Amino acid sequence: MKDLYFDSIVIGGGAAGMAAALELAASGFSCAIVEREDGLGGILTQCIHNGFGLIEFNEELTGPEFAERIEEKLAGTGITTFTGATVMEMDARSEQKTMFCYSARWGVLRLSSRAIILAMGCRERNRGNIRIPGDRPAGVYTAGLAQRLVNIEGFVPGKDIVIIGSGDIGLIMARRMSWVGCKVHAVVEILPYPSGLTRNIVQCLHDFGIPLYLSHLTTRIIGKGRVEGVEVSPIENGALQPEKAFTIPCDTVLLSVGLIPENELSRTAGVELNPMTGGPMVDSMLMTNVPGVFACGNVLHVHDLVDYVVEESRRAGAFAAGWLRGMRPGKEARIKAGANVRYTAPVRVDLQSGAKIYLRTLIVKNDAVLDMKVNNRVVKSLRKTHIQPSEMIALELSPQDLHEVLDAPDPVLEISIA
Ligand SMILES: Cc1cc2nc3c(=O)[nH]c(=O)nc-3n(C[C@H](O)[C@H](O)[C@H](O)COP(=O)(O)OP(=O)(O)OC[C@H]3O[C@@H](n4cnc5c(N)ncnc54)[C@H](O)[C@@H]3O)c2cc1C
């Protein structure tokens, strides 16, 4: 067994892990990235469509190009990468933390460090998670798995496709399956509005004439050996209308019904999770309740754009470096998700240094007003021309915004949308 020590270890070598590791190395700390796949880049490597990097690089890149741009920066930094190595266990209770990694190349690795960054990304919800009635025929895939099959393995899983859920991966796959010669008959969405980004609705559905059934529930998957169709019923005024059910024939169903942060490892290490996101609860330093363990990227909360993943992960890396130098959070206010706010990340803000906060709304609205109040006193308001649940909202609070509430007892920052 190899036994190695680093100042910091990053679990996951996607965009988040690489960005965080670069910050740690730039601050002079030794750092290792452990990645279970054979290469770095994470989910980006299978996203061969463009649309990445408009904020980070001011250019429209494909997923692999974006990953390559970041990976190139690792050269000469001294960051050690263990690819094809999976972290199976982690003990983070003491100052010196230990993890065990299994790898075909090195066997068992025992790695120790004072700081750990969780950057394990997320996984897809599947048929079991949403319990669609019907038989168990072949031909039901999650959209991300289908993407991997088509883009990396060179295998097209069917010809006549129905996509359940209008998340971004499903929308991207509607276009991708059309490009490889399949007929995409419909995207079926239970909600009255799409779950994916507007640009993907336009570019992946409208441009290809693919119908989107909003407020429709898939009530059955039909077929014994192989999928033969899906039964779909409309929802009107909140009530299912089974008498108006209709069947869409198809041989393949792709599920795009949400992503779940990958936190089994975090849970076993005693990291407290936020029931709204499935990711860790983090303080103003993006640190979990376990001292020295930080989280960023999709393992923290599912992001819409990789540019925001990178921005947040850089901050996580810089905070971890600060923590290694002895920096600790100052006086913090707990953040409360108020009216029409689904969640915020982080869940605490440092009143002296301000904060960057990402949040998701529960509503679709034009001309929305976001209010930030500390103990009922408005510290900042923001107007947004349009908001929707599929698009993350970024807020910044400066120390000036907060200085008048610095002495407030038990401060609570409530963010609400009207
Ligand atoms: C289909 C699809 C389309 C998208 N389209 C766009 C787009 O057009 N524009 C855009 O900006 N963004 C897009 N995104 C979002 C963006 O790509 C992701 O948010 C971002 O790449 C996530 O980065 P991450 O590092 O947090 O996670 P990941 O890329 O998932 O990386 C996590 C890594 O951790 C590794 N890992 C997990 N557990 C362990 C373990 N125990 N041990 C070792 N390694 C482990 C995994 O193997 C993985 O490589 C898209 C995402 C998807 C899925």
Side-chain angles (χ1 to χ4, degrees), residues 40-170:
L40 299 174
I43 194 74
L44 289 170
T45 55
Q46 69 179 57
C47 300
I48 62 171
H49 57 282
N50 58 2
F52 296 82
L54 285 168
I55 303 168
E56 179 65 19
F57 296 110
N58 204 17
E59 249 184 272
E60 200 171 14
L61 304 171
T62 63
E65 283 169 342
F66 189 101
E68 216 173 88
R69 289 275 179 102
I70 303 199
E71 196 176 340
E72 279 166 1
K73 295 185 186 167
L74 299 181
T77 58
I79 295 170
T80 305
T81 53
F82 298 101
T83 49
T86 304
V87 180
M88 301 295 286
E89 281 176 58
M90 173 168 90
D91 183 351
R93 285 169 299 182
S94 49
E95 199 184 331
Q96 171 126 326
K97 301 160 196 334
T98 312
M99 63 181 78
F100 289 92
C101 317
Y102 300 144
S103 131
R105 187 157 157 212
W106 294 287
V108 180
L109 294 167
R110 180 165 62 193
L111 306 181
S112 308
S113 64
R114 282 200 296 131
I116 291 177
I117 305 231
L118 307 172
M120 290 93 75
C122 59
R123 62 161 186 267
E124 297 178 283
R125 294 175 82 214
N126 56 34
R127 183 175 175 182
N129 295 119
I130 56 163
R131 301 201 183 101
I132 307 173
D135 292 311
R136 293 279 174 276
V140 181
Y141 299 82
T142 58
L145 171 61
Q147 184 181 52
R148 189 183 171 97
L149 291 174
V150 175
N151 292 351
I152 295 192
E153 315 290 339
F155 169 75
V156 179
K159 281 189 192 144
D160 288 286
I161 319 288
V162 169
I163 298 177
I164 300 178
S166 60
D168 286 314
I169 314 178

Side-chain angles (χ1 to χ4, degrees), residues 11-17 34-37 41-44 46-47 49-53 85-88 119-122 147 168-169 172 199-200 259 262 265 296-299 303-307 309:
I11 310 176
V34 187
E35 167 54 54
R36 70 179 166 201
E37 297 290 336
I43 194 74
L44 289 170
Q46 69 179 57
C47 300
H49 57 282
N50 58 2
F52 296 82
T86 304
V87 180
M88 301 295 286
M120 290 93 75
C122 59
Q147 184 181 52
D168 286 314
I169 314 178
I172 297 286
R199 73 177 197 204
N200 286 336
L259 300 162
E262 182 86 54
L265 200 56
C296 56
N298 279 355
V299 82
H303 291 60
D304 51 0
L305 297 180
V306 68
D307 309 72
V309 165

Side-chain angles (χ1 to χ4, degrees), residues 226-248:
R226 176 84 198 187
V227 172
E228 288 166 16
V230 291
E231 182 191 80
V232 171
S233 305
I235 299 167
E236 290 170 9
N237 302 319
L240 192 66
Q241 308 292 319
E243 70 288 352
K244 295 186 182 168
F246 57 97
T247 299
I248 310 174

